[in-house]
Amino acid sequence: MTGHNLPPQPTPFIGRDHELADIARLLADPTCRLLTLVGPGGMGKTRLAIEVARCHEMPDGAFFVPLQPLTTAEFIVHAIAEAVSIQFFQADDPKQQLLSSLQNKAALLLLDNFEHLLDGVGLLSDMLSTAPGIKLLVTSRERLNLQEEWAFMLDGLSFPKDAAKDALENYSAVQLFVQRARQARADFSLNGNTELVATICRQLEGLPLGLELAASWLRAMSCERIAAQIQSSLHFLATPLRNIPERHRSLNAVFEQSWGLLTTAEQDVLMRLSVFRGGFDEEAVEHVADTSLPVLAALVDKSFIRLDNTGRYDLHELLRQFAADKLLDAGQYEATVEAFCAYYLKLAEQVEVHNFGYEQVPWYDRAEVEWDNFRAALTWSEESERGLHMAAAMGWFFQERGYWLEGQYWLEHVLAANPDALISLRAKVLNMAAMLGTFRDSEVQHYLEQSLALSRPANDLWNTAWSLSYRAIQIIDDDLDQSAALVDESLALFRQLRDRMGLTHNLVRRSWIAELQRDFDLTQQLLDEAAVYANAVGDKILIGWVTVGRGTLASHFRRFVEARNYLENGLTLFREAHFPLGLDRSLILLGGVELALENPTAAHECYRDALLMHKDNLAYHPFFPFPLAGMAAVASYKGNYQRAVVLFGAAGEDWVKRYCAQNPHIFTFDRDIVTARAQLGDESFEQAWATGSAMTRQEATDFALLVEPEVLDNSASRPADDSVTTRERDILRLLGDGLNSREIADQLVLSVGTVRWYLKQIYSKRGVHGRSEALARARELRLLT
């Protein structure tokens, strides 16, 4: 969580010099930690706030949190976590995870469009009280009314109050109008239009969105006609009418004028587009709004909708709300919502069809792009069986893409709202909830008991098979024999059903159990059979699990070079699939193999990557002790027993023994402890262990990430440039290809914060101050070849 994610702006920032200075002074005041920019819709709050955040320096950066797609305040936590690259795992309350991750940070959070989520303001107070280094900059059409709040009321851009005495170009409102006018009509000039432009700016009182909308009509009409149209309903700037929604009291006339210039077909489409959240594509529009490409193109031309470089459309939130009211007035709201939910149920079912196969990754990518629309559809469908169908269909997507907590939320809510739904449907949702709740044992057991109670009497073999499988995974650490028996029963049912997905997943799961039972012949047999099914359909995640399984099997026979090749291939597959759970597991296993190959530098790098993947979400990361135990083993291997014992203590004896028991061919916990005690002496050993045991997870992580020289002192495994690791080389190469931090993170399946951490390490090692210098030095050393 260092740097920023502030969205780039397509046009220069205009005016607001006084506002920028005043806001900067407020934010510099240590007592001002929650500043709300308050003003009516279209006043330019977001644009100003982004410029403020870009100029305001904080040690850990500034982060933009878009709230407009959210349907309820419950998702504010997830929106903030996504913006600052905090990844939740299935554990305790997401809010507590967020607060824990922020408590030692010093950053500015820009929460944009808060007005429809005011019942969630308590979270802001909690953040301010638990994270003293955090400052909040909020945009809203309404005050938050919190004790901590400082409010900054925003007015329009400067405009000529009467006949211009100064040069017209000195007014910010005129500058903005001319800029947008030239985008709409390249030959536009102030010459011959000065008085008309001044009139329009006065009519709109410098309102930025009003200016942009007015200028956009220059494609279709003259300045004179635009001024005349605005003049006929100028009352919108300060309407006294109480029956007009507050958000429309300053912008409604602008929108109404624009609305009146649309054809009936365009108006009908625009109304229906208001049900979308987070954008839409042509296919969705065709099903929900029953429209065609020419109508969409017309709406783009008239600045009602936007088209991004991916071919996806978007509707400004204020215009969306205006169109939504029109939809209600026209009596078409329920029918449009019905069409919307029907489409997204169909899309969810298509995603489910591709849970198994080579098209899984692109379909999951599509589901992620559409996630805000799925949220809206789930919200509208929550109390119907359609909600159950949709949540169940999305279950594997939730699992494979890391939406564990939010997926759990939807599954639990649709279950609670539909107690009388079809038995098979409820059983399926219960199974999905069990899959996502793997690390909350009591809840998982409860779900599975309910599912089995429903599916067994109904002779529902499919749900019974999955219930048995999830139960087996739940008890794998406690009773291997019982776990094996449950998976065997599940496999028999999937064979009977000829369900290749269920069969392949459970062949892999049974191979894990066989490996833990040290039955390596059976492990090989199960992996071979799973590979036949996974390869036949090109399922990257299952091929990845089979590949990683072959790697761990090879390591048991001390064929470590072979094991490394398998594990690296598995990592590649999991990166391509954007599968966090597989990445975590593979990195930890690969670290052990690298250590066995006497490559402590590479081993340390694997464990560091595993730890960095979750650096901002340490409090509830379920596998947190494993990379610590691995780093302790690296330190022990290098003879740094003080460091090893501290890390062993931080990991915890139970977790260390569990880790080493799963990898006896690599790690010998008892031997390391005996050796360390002999080298350090009882008193120093106990003191180091106590130091580690007393560490918080953040302290343990900070300690683990301190790379001491002797940890990396291994000439046999050094790259040509002995201070640049393999991961840093990968990042340098991608940097040389012109990728930014976000794109590098996507390529390597790391967080943006992790990439920036590596870049800082690279700059520090090379003694340079930026990307250009780092790349130039890397080329000199031939690190990019």
Side-chain angles (χ1 to χ4, degrees), residues 271-572:
M271 287 191 298
R272 295 178 185 277
L273 295 181
S274 69
V275 299
F276 287 100
R277 303 291 192 277
F280 44 88
D281 57 23
E282 287 180 37
E283 179 184 312
V285 171
E286 182 181 351
H287 285 81
V288 176
D290 190 24
T291 191
S292 60
L293 186 57
V295 176
L296 285 178
L299 289 172
V300 171
D301 286 342
K302 296 175 182 179
S303 301
F304 278 93
I305 63 175
R306 298 169 293 205
L307 179 65
D308 65 24
N309 56 12
T310 69
R312 190 169 176 81
Y313 298 93
D314 191 18
L315 184 66
H316 190 285
E317 175 62 13
L318 295 173
L319 286 167
R320 190 201 65 76
Q321 293 174 355
F322 172 80
D325 282 348
K326 291 292 186 182
L327 188 67
L328 280 168
D329 293 342
Q332 299 179 31
Y333 177 80
E334 291 184 1
T336 306
V337 166
E338 181 67 24
F340 176 88
C341 293
Y343 172 75
Y344 280 98
L345 173 59
K346 179 182 177 182
L347 187 60
E349 290 171 340
Q350 288 176 301
V351 172
E352 183 180 29
V353 167
H354 295 93
N355 280 334
F356 181 57
Y358 72 94
E359 291 188 335
Q360 179 198 73
V361 173
W363 275 95
Y364 284 177
D365 289 345
R366 182 174 179 183
E368 287 207 87
V369 170
E370 294 283 2
W371 180 230
D372 286 329
N373 284 316
F374 278 119
R375 279 186 180 133
L378 283 164
T379 299
W380 281 320
S381 304
E382 185 176 344
E383 296 184 359
S384 68
E385 285 199 4
R386 179 169 58 200
L388 281 168
H389 280 288
M390 190 179 300
M394 298 292 288
W396 278 97
F397 164 76
F398 294 147
Q399 166 73 359
E400 309 291 46
R401 287 298 170 94
Y403 288 83
W404 300 302
L405 291 173
E406 192 169 353
Q408 191 86 4
Y409 166 89
W410 286 115
L411 290 162
E412 290 174 351
H413 275 65
V414 295
L415 277 170
N418 298 276
D420 300 320
L422 291 172
I423 287 175
S424 60
L425 184 54
R426 282 187 60 81
K428 181 179 179 181
V429 175
L430 286 163
N431 279 329
M432 294 293 103
M435 176 174 68
L436 297 180
T438 299
F439 301 104
R440 294 188 284 182
D441 292 348
S442 60
E443 292 184 19
V444 172
Q445 184 172 349
H446 179 62
Y447 294 146
L448 295 176
E449 287 172 354
Q450 289 186 69
S451 179
L452 283 171
L454 291 170
S455 54
R456 276 197 188 277
N459 199 31
D460 183 345
L461 302 185
W462 188 85
N463 276 310
T464 299
W466 279 116
S467 297
L468 294 169
S469 175
Y470 297 137
R471 179 59 178 159
I473 296 303
Q474 186 195 19
I475 65 171
I476 196 170
D477 291 323
D478 303 317
D479 191 337
L480 276 176
D481 291 339
Q482 178 63 17
S483 182
L486 290 170
V487 176
D488 286 339
E489 186 179 354
S490 177
L491 279 169
L493 292 173
F494 283 124
R495 291 186 194 279
Q496 182 180 340
L497 292 167
R498 299 179 183 272
D499 185 317
R500 292 186 301 166
M501 178 182 172
L503 183 59
T504 311
H505 272 282
N506 282 278
L507 285 167
V508 171
R509 292 176 181 185
R510 185 64 179 87
S511 76
W512 298 342
I513 300 168
E515 183 185 351
L516 291 172
Q517 292 174 321
R518 304 293 185 257
D519 188 342
F520 301 127
D521 288 339
L522 178 58
T523 303
Q524 183 69 61
Q525 176 186 331
L526 292 161
L527 289 173
D528 288 344
E529 186 179 359
V532 171
Y533 295 109
N535 288 325
V537 297
D539 189 296
K540 285 189 176 181
I541 289 178
L542 282 167
I543 295 172
W545 280 129
V546 170
T547 304
V548 168
R550 295 193 193 283
T552 58
L553 193 58
S555 67
H556 278 288
F557 294 101
R558 309 193 68 80
R559 300 195 301 268
F560 294 123
V561 173
E562 178 186 345
R564 178 172 61 189
N565 290 336
Y566 278 127
L567 291 171
E568 287 178 342
N569 289 337
L571 266 175
T572 298

Side-chain angles (χ1 to χ4, degrees), residues 753-779:
T754 299
V755 171
R756 289 174 180 150
W757 184 89
Y758 274 118
L759 288 173
K760 285 185 177 179
Q761 298 301 306
I762 292 169
Y763 299 160
S764 175
K765 290 176 181 181
R766 299 267 54 84
V768 298
H769 302 289
R771 295 182 175 210
S772 298
E773 291 182 29
L775 287 172
R777 182 63 177 145
R779 291 187 183 99

Side-chain angles (χ1 to χ4, degrees), residues 254-279:
V254 172
F255 292 147
E256 286 290 355
Q257 291 299 319
S258 302
W259 175 263
L261 296 172
L262 294 177
T263 67
T264 302
E266 290 166 353
Q267 289 178 347
D268 184 67
V269 170
L270 186 62
M271 287 191 298
R272 295 178 185 277
L273 295 181
S274 69
V275 299
F276 287 100
R277 303 291 192 277

Side-chain angles (χ1 to χ4, degrees), residues 136-210:
L136 303 177
L137 180 62
V138 180
T139 71
S140 177
R141 277 175 272 166
E142 185 176 345
R143 287 175 180 259
L144 306 184
N145 288 328
L146 288 175
Q147 188 177 12
E148 304 93 337
E149 182 185 30
W150 293 49
F152 187 93
M153 306 303 297
L154 190 61
D155 292 323
L157 297 172
S158 63
F159 61 92
K161 300 292 191 299
D162 47 24
K165 296 178 181 178
D166 299 326
L168 205 60
E169 294 88 344
N170 292 339
Y171 293 99
S172 300
V174 174
Q175 294 169 13
L176 179 60
F177 183 88
V178 171
Q179 182 191 79
R180 294 296 189 269
R182 287 174 178 163
Q183 286 180 272
R185 202 177 77 200
D187 64 346
F188 178 81
S189 172
L190 268 177
N191 293 334
N193 289 304
T194 53
E195 187 55 40
L196 287 168
V197 170
T199 299
I200 291 170
C201 291
R202 283 196 295 271
Q203 288 174 323
L204 298 173
E205 293 192 3
L207 195 69
L209 183 56

